[in-house]
Amino acid sequence: MEQIRLDELNEEKVPVTEPERQEYYINLLRNYIDQCKKEGKTLTYCVQTFGCQMNAHDSERLEGILEKIGFVQAPTEDADVVLYNTCTVRENANKKLFGHLGHLKNKKQKNKDMLIGICGCMMQQKENVDFIEKSYKYVDLVFGTFNTYKLAELIADRLMSGKQVIEVLPQPKENVENLPQKRKYSFKSGVNIMYGCNNFCTYCIVPYVRGRERSRVPEDIMAEIKCLRDDGVKEIMLLGQNVNSYGTNYMGESEILKENPSYDFPDLLRDVCKIDGIERIRFMTSNPKDLSDKLIQVIKENKKICRHIHLPVQSGSSRLLKAMNRKYTKEHYLALVDKIRKELPDISLTTDIMVGFPGETEEDFLDTMDVVRKAEYDQAFTFIYSIRTGTPAATMEQVPEEVVKERFDRLLKLVQDIAAKRSSRFKGMVKDVLVEEEDEHEEGYLTGRMDNNITVHFKGDKKLIGSIVDVKLTEAKGFYYIGELIK
Ligand code: 5AD
Ligand code: SF4
């Protein structure tokens, strides 16, 4: 975008408090967009997201701000504003960004007014920002995970100064509520209940790029969910790096907490279940070290809570778990799985597993295989350990690549065999399915999700998208089912 004079910007009039300040900048930019429209130019945007649910949710906020300004969503990176919301959890995630950026250079040569922004976890690391500043001069905006809410202000800064704008905060400054959101699905949404992480697993970069744990007060969470409900949302996913430690470091005043200072995640779940109109509640992610009996009980008592727990194990070796600082042992983890299976027999259990953590021996790896056999996961996400500079494990002795690769292949095969066997256990049953979209591969078919998070494809009218229907599971296909709609 060309350098512009935002004439209306009057320093004295810019509010100092949030969210009023951002609303001011949104309005200011909207005037500029309206002017462009009058001249026959519609300005478009495209947000590309890497990484986890948390990032996907942040991107919906970024899109919400862009829409409120008046930009129109474009299906590809042929747009006037292109934003990359990055992830840095593994080296692969970093590489993806640079691939995309390379392609954009040509596009920007054709559309000189194009504005390129990079934000998210990768930008919280100084070496990445320095590299972009030095080698990617055509990038216009760089910001981090603690100031996504400032997108409008940062765009205005860029347009007025004509210079690259870089603003990365080392830690969060304030909690800004009530930001606009553009939901990918009209009927489901993520809701942050907490930010950051205090666990410092020795392989993980997240505590460094997302900061210390901060919990939103229950009133703010509930108000957001009620708004979503009024807007047609049926399913919500409560988001946090470790939802089981919800309740540390609250941001804001709360009557509920005054009455009950030991209010915790199961209490929050119980309260969210009471909100009429919300039919399904999910949560992500649970750290095994503090999944309580109280939580299991609350799930058992409330049918609205989906029968799915994502319980990352990372490794089955107690020795490695100690080196990872996970604070549980193989025995503790398996006992927890047994308890969950006994109390919640219809639960679907998924996990994350890492192979090749520094010092991993064949014996350690066989412990991981043993846990996979015993826990019988419905699905497991497997990762090769990736060095993250700045974490304690980065300086430990690494396992040779070919050893890791061979173990990874063995693990993947086991995980797939078990998941295929496991998931066929629902064959022949009739299940509630939330219809999510048209099937990408088969015309006239729809794709929906059961509460255990497994997908089903079945013939049906697209008018059903967003509703919960009964589907008979006729064919088990490993990770998904083919079904028939019950009229
Ligand atoms: N290398 C490989 N995988 C990692 N994960 C987190 N950090 C690393 C790393 N350095 C995996 C964990 C986590 C998931 C989100 O990513 O399994 O649960
Ligand atoms: Fe999510 Fe972690 Fe990746 Fe950030 S680094 S996007 S928090 S997985």
Side-chain angles (χ1 to χ4, degrees):
M1 256 165 274
E2 62 200 292
Q3 185 177 346
I4 57 159
R5 281 180 53 222
L6 295 171
D7 289 328
E8 303 83 344
L9 182 77
N10 175 341
E11 291 287 346
E12 277 165 28
K13 276 200 202 151
V14 182
V16 284
T17 56
E18 298 292 2
E20 297 76 15
R21 186 176 173 90
Q22 296 316 309
E23 278 159 17
Y24 178 89
Y25 279 106
I26 287 172
N27 287 330
L28 193 71
L29 288 167
R30 192 161 44 211
N31 292 341
Y32 168 64
I33 297 275
D34 286 346
Q35 195 55 43
C36 293
K37 265 195 203 136
K38 275 191 203 129
E39 291 163 15
K41 227 164 75 181
T42 300
L43 296 183
T44 58
Y45 76 89
C46 171
V47 178
Q48 293 282 357
T49 311
F50 307 100
C52 64
Q53 306 271 359
M54 199 73 79
N55 252 23
H57 188 57
D58 284 351
S59 286
E60 291 194 341
R61 296 272 187 228
L62 293 166
E63 292 181 359
I65 295 170
L66 291 166
E67 293 260 333
K68 212 163 171 198
I69 293 172
F71 290 104
V72 175
Q73 191 167 34
T76 66
E77 285 141 296
D78 283 308
D80 298 293
V81 177
V82 178
L83 278 188
Y84 292 110
N85 192 4
T86 62
C87 171
T88 187
V89 79
R90 285 171 292 275
E91 191 55 34
N92 274 353
N94 287 35
K95 282 189 191 141
K96 274 189 206 155
L97 172 74
F98 292 115
H100 278 258
L101 272 186
H103 290 300
L104 271 203
K105 192 170 186 181
N106 293 337
K107 290 194 199 296
K108 190 154 180 171
Q109 269 159 3
K110 283 186 211 133
N111 175 7
K112 291 248 178 324
D113 296 338
M114 185 179 193
L115 214 146
I116 302 171
I118 315 180
C119 60
C121 296
M122 214 179 133
M123 296 304 105
Q124 287 301 134
Q125 293 172 295
K126 194 172 177 311
E127 62 273 22
N128 294 328
V129 176
D130 289 348
F131 184 54
I132 284 165
E133 193 177 4
K134 201 170 82 210
S135 314
Y136 294 87
K137 296 215 181 327
Y138 56 94
V139 169
D140 301 277
L141 274 182
V142 173
F143 54 107
T145 58
F146 302 126
N147 53 355
T148 40
Y149 68 90
K150 280 183 75 175
L151 177 62
E153 181 172 348
L154 296 170
I155 293 178
D157 277 357
R158 167 68 187 84
L159 293 181
M160 288 184 293
S161 70
K163 293 195 188 114
Q164 192 178 53
V165 171
I166 297 182
E167 188 186 287
V168 178
L169 307 179
Q171 59 210 26
K173 223 166 92 189
E174 57 195 323
N175 177 38
V176 182
E177 293 282 331
N178 299 322
L179 287 167
Q181 177 190 3
K182 181 183 193 309
R183 291 197 308 277
K184 186 169 172 210
Y185 298 98
S186 60
F187 49 86
K188 66 171 186 175
S189 176
V191 174
N192 285 119
I193 64 165
M194 59 191 298
Y195 305 97
C197 180
N198 286 354
N199 290 330
F200 288 96
C201 299
T202 54
Y203 52 80
C204 189
I205 198 74
V206 171
Y208 306 88
V209 296
R210 290 267 175 184
R212 293 296 68 70
E213 275 173 14
R214 287 100 59 211
S215 301
R216 287 175 78 197
V217 294
E219 283 90 338
D220 283 348
I221 297 170
M222 241 99 77
E224 182 180 339
I225 297 174
K226 284 179 187 158
C227 265
L228 289 166
R229 182 263 326 264
D230 294 344
D231 203 25
V233 167
K234 293 199 172 104
E235 178 180 301
I236 53 154
M237 161 93 84
L238 304 176
L239 295 170
Q241 300 298 345
N242 176 16
V243 290
N244 296 328
S245 63
Y246 171 78
T248 42
N249 198 7
Y250 280 111
M251 305 174 292
E253 290 292 306
S254 158
E255 286 305 313
I256 296 177
L257 296 175
K258 268 188 208 143
E259 258 171 50
N260 178 7
S262 57
Y263 192 89
D264 58 9
F265 180 57
D267 292 327
L268 177 70
L269 264 181
R270 209 181 263 142
D271 282 343
V272 172
C273 286
K274 290 185 198 138
I275 301 178
D276 279 340
I278 294 294
E279 295 180 41
R280 281 182 169 187
I281 301 156
R282 301 184 182 279
F283 55 86
M284 184 90 107
T285 290
S286 273
N287 190 317
K289 80 177 165 62
D290 43 21
L291 192 152
S292 63
D293 290 351
K294 184 173 167 187
L295 177 67
I296 297 176
Q297 206 49 40
V298 170
I299 300 176
K300 203 169 167 180
E301 285 162 10
N302 289 282
K303 280 283 157 225
K304 282 186 178 184
I305 304 174
C306 288
R307 269 30 193 173
H308 172 218
I309 300 182
H310 186 64
L311 198 64
V313 64
Q314 312 300 359
S315 166
S317 151
S318 296
R319 191 185 73 84
L320 275 199
L321 287 167
K322 194 162 191 327
M324 289 177 171
N325 193 29
R326 292 289 289 174
K327 302 189 182 86
Y328 55 86
T329 61
K330 176 186 181 182
E331 290 67 33
H332 170 247
Y333 184 89
L334 286 175
L336 180 61
V337 169
D338 272 351
K339 189 160 45 178
I340 293 172
R341 293 255 188 242
K342 195 162 136 265
E343 295 294 321
L344 303 161
D346 51 350
I347 206 100
S348 147
L349 206 60
T350 59
T351 199
D352 292 342
I353 309 170
M354 210 181 296
V355 181
F357 180 82
E360 184 188 72
T361 62
E362 178 64 17
E363 203 187 340
D364 293 322
F365 175 69
L366 291 178
D367 269 332
T368 298
M369 297 283 272
D370 190 42
V371 167
V372 171
R373 270 186 214 102
K374 291 190 169 131
E376 295 201 298
Y377 297 110
D378 290 82
Q379 200 175 354
F381 301 94
T382 49
F383 306 106
I384 286 181
Y385 167 75
S386 167
I387 296 179
R388 303 288 69 204
T389 313
T391 61
T395 53
M396 298 177 189
E397 196 183 327
Q398 306 296 316
V399 182
E401 213 179 303
E402 59 291 356
V403 175
V404 178
K405 184 79 190 51
E406 188 275 329
R407 283 181 193 159
F408 183 80
D409 292 345
R410 258 191 289 162
L411 176 69
L412 195 62
K413 170 132 196 347
L414 181 65
V415 158
Q416 282 170 346
D417 288 350
I418 289 177
K421 230 188 302 158
R422 253 328 264 179
S423 76
S424 63
R425 74 196 143 121
F426 300 111
K427 192 177 159 187
M429 290 185 192
V430 174
K431 288 271 185 193
D432 284 352
V433 171
L434 174 58
V435 188
E436 295 196 338
E437 56 206 349
E438 286 181 85
D439 191 330
E440 279 176 23
H441 305 290
E442 193 79 40
E443 185 140 2
Y445 274 67
L446 301 168
T447 299
R449 200 174 288 272
M450 298 186 256
D451 80 337
N452 59 22
N453 210 35
I454 301 174
T455 49
V456 198
H457 306 277
F458 57 98
K459 222 183 243 170
D461 193 313
K462 64 179 178 201
K463 276 195 226 124
L464 291 173
I465 292 174
S467 53
I468 296 178
V469 296
D470 285 342
V471 175
K472 180 165 186 188
L473 308 174
T474 50
E475 256 182 274
K477 293 278 196 184
F479 289 113
Y480 64 94
Y481 282 90
I482 302 291
E484 272 167 23
L485 185 66
I486 307 283
K487 294 271 157 36

